[in-house]
C-alpha cells in the first residue's frame, strides 16, 4: 500500500528508515530460533520488494543489513546460521540481477567492510562456525543452475577467498595481542592492501586508531584520523 512512499528518493526517506529499523531490531536483539525463521523470511521478501533501496540508493541500508547478517553467521544455532547464509546469498544474487547480471560490487564491498568491522568490534568469535557459513554460501553459488553460465559463481568464490584472507590476518593479530607494535603493523599492512578501496582502508585506519587510543598512544591515533580525513578529502575532491 505504501510502496511509492517507501521507494521515494531510492529508499532514503523517514518512512523506509522506520520500517527497515524495525526489521533490523529483530536481528540486533536476541530472538528465539522460531521467531528468527520468520524474521529471515520477512527480510527475504523485503529485499525482493525493495531492491533499489539496497542496491541503488545510499549505501547505509545495505551496510547495516550485511553487518547484522554476518553476526548471525557465527550463531551457535545451526538453523540460524543456515538462514543467515541463505539471506546473505540472496542479497548477493539480487544485487547481481539488479545490475542486469554485471556485478554485485556493492554487496561484495559491504560484506568485506562488515567483516573488518566485526573483527575490530571483536564480535567475530566462533571462527569455525563462520567458515561453515562461507562454505554454505559457496555451495549455493555452485548449485545455482540459472547462474551457471554467468560470472556470479566465480565472483562469490572470490569474495569468500577475500574474507578468508582477512580472517587469516586477524588470526595473526590474535597471536600478537600482547604486542601492540606488531598488532599495529599487521593492521597497517591490511589498510595498505586496501589502498584501492577507500571505504575499507578507512575501516582499518579507524580500527588502528581504536587500538592506539586503548594503549594511550594519542598522537598515533591522531595520525590515523588525519589519514582518514585526507582519504575522505581526496575522495570528495575526485567526485
Amino acid at each position: 500500500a505504501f510502496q511509492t512512499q517507501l521507494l521515494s528518493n531510492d529508499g532514503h526517506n523517514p518512512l523506509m528508515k522506520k520500517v527497515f529499523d524495525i526489521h533490523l531490531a529483530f536481528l540486533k536483539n536476541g530472538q528465539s530460533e522460531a521467531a528468527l525463521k520468520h524474521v529471515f523470511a520477512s527480510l527475504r521478501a523485503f529485499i525482493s520488494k525493495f531492491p533499489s533501496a539496497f542496491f541503488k540508493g545510499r549505501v547505509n541500508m545495505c551496510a547495516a543489513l550485511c553487518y547484522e547478517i554476518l553476526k548471525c553467521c557465527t550463531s551457535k544455532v545451526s538453523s540460524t546460521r543456515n538462514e543467515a547464509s541463505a539471506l546473505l546469498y540472496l542479497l548477493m544474487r539480487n544485487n547481481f540481477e539488479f545490475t542486469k547480471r554485471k556485478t554485485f560490487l556493492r554487496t561484495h564491498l559491504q560484506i568485506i567492510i562488515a567483516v573488518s568491522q566485526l573483527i575490530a568490534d571483536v564480535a567475530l568469535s566462533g571462527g569455525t562456525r563462520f567458515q561453515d557459513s562461507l562454505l554454505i554460501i559457496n555451495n549455493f553459488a555452485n548449485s545455482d543452475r540459472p547462474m551457471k553460465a554467468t560470472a556470479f559463481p566465480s565472483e562469490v568464490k572470490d569474495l569468500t577467498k577475500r574474507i578468508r584472507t582477512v580472517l587469516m590476518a586477524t588470526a595473526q593479530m590474535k597471536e600478537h595481542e600482547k604486542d601492540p607494535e606488531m598488532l599495529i603493523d599487521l593492521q597497517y599492512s591490511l589498510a595498505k592492501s586496501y589502498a584501492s578501496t577507500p571505504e575499507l582502508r578507512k575501516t582499518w585506519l579507524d580500527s588502528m586508531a581504536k587500538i592506539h587510543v586503548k594503549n594511550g598512544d594519542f598522537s598515533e591515533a591522531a595520525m590515523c584520523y588525519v589519514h582518514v580525513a585526507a582519504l575522505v578529502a581526496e575522495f570528495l575532491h575526485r567526485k
Side-chain angles (χ1 to χ4, degrees):
F2 295 95
Q3 192 142 5
T4 322
Q5 293 96 310
L6 283 163
L7 280 175
S8 78
N9 196 11
D10 282 325
H12 188 74
N13 58 71
L15 184 63
M16 176 59 97
K17 189 182 180 328
K18 279 179 185 170
V19 176
F20 180 64
D21 283 353
I22 290 167
H23 278 78
L24 217 57
F26 282 111
L27 290 183
K28 284 181 175 174
N29 309 304
Q31 306 295 328
S32 71
E33 193 179 345
L36 272 175
K37 271 193 172 139
H38 295 291
V39 172
F40 282 119
S42 186
L43 279 165
R44 285 197 295 273
F46 196 68
I47 294 164
S48 303
K49 214 167 219 167
F50 305 111
S52 62
F54 289 96
F55 311 129
K56 189 181 172 196
R58 295 195 187 182
V59 83
N60 44 353
M61 269 175 75
C62 186
L65 187 61
C66 285
Y67 184 85
E68 294 306 329
I69 299 173
L70 279 164
K71 259 165 100 174
C72 293
C73 282
T74 66
S75 166
K76 286 176 182 167
V77 184
S78 62
S79 69
T80 302
R81 278 203 309 275
N82 293 342
E83 290 269 5
S85 306
L87 185 62
L88 202 57
Y89 179 73
L90 180 84
L91 196 66
M92 291 188 244
R93 196 182 193 279
N94 279 23
N95 193 175
F96 191 70
E97 293 285 8
F98 188 79
T99 61
K100 297 192 170 48
R101 299 196 163 191
K102 285 192 190 89
T103 177
F104 63 95
L105 188 65
R106 172 176 282 198
T107 310
H108 181 131
L109 201 56
Q110 292 314 315
I111 288 171
I112 298 274
I113 291 171
V115 168
S116 309
Q117 280 171 343
L118 281 165
I119 290 163
D121 302 343
V122 203
L124 206 56
S125 51
T128 50
R129 293 198 292 272
F130 188 56
Q131 295 282 9
D132 289 347
S133 298
L134 291 181
L135 200 63
I136 293 168
I137 292 166
N138 258 336
N139 290 342
F140 272 134
N142 292 331
S143 58
D144 194 341
R145 272 225 173 95
M147 289 289 157
K148 272 272 192 290
T150 68
F152 186 68
S154 62
E155 279 196 37
V156 172
K157 207 173 177 181
D158 176 56
L159 172 61
T160 50
K161 208 166 128 191
R162 275 171 182 261
I163 293 173
R164 285 199 179 99
T165 310
V166 173
L167 290 175
M168 271 162 63
T170 317
Q172 282 182 294
M173 286 180 203
K174 268 226 158 326
E175 282 171 40
H176 300 288
E177 235 170 359
K178 303 277 185 284
D179 182 354
E181 272 85 8
M182 189 66 190
L183 184 63
I184 290 292
D185 259 5
L186 282 164
Q187 291 233 333
Y188 178 67
S189 60
L190 254 175
K192 228 165 132 181
S193 69
Y194 285 114
S196 59
T197 315
E199 295 98 328
L200 273 171
R201 187 161 156 72
K202 180 189 175 297
T203 303
W204 284 108
L205 285 165
D206 280 337
S207 170
M208 276 167 72
K210 269 187 199 168
I211 294 171
H212 279 312
V213 169
K214 208 164 116 188
N215 296 333
D217 303 328
F218 299 111
S219 57
E220 284 86 347
M223 280 301 285
C224 289
Y225 288 128
V226 168
H227 271 290
V228 169
L231 197 65
V232 173
E234 193 183 332
F235 188 71
L236 290 173
H237 179 66
R238 277 186 195 172
K239 271 194 138 183

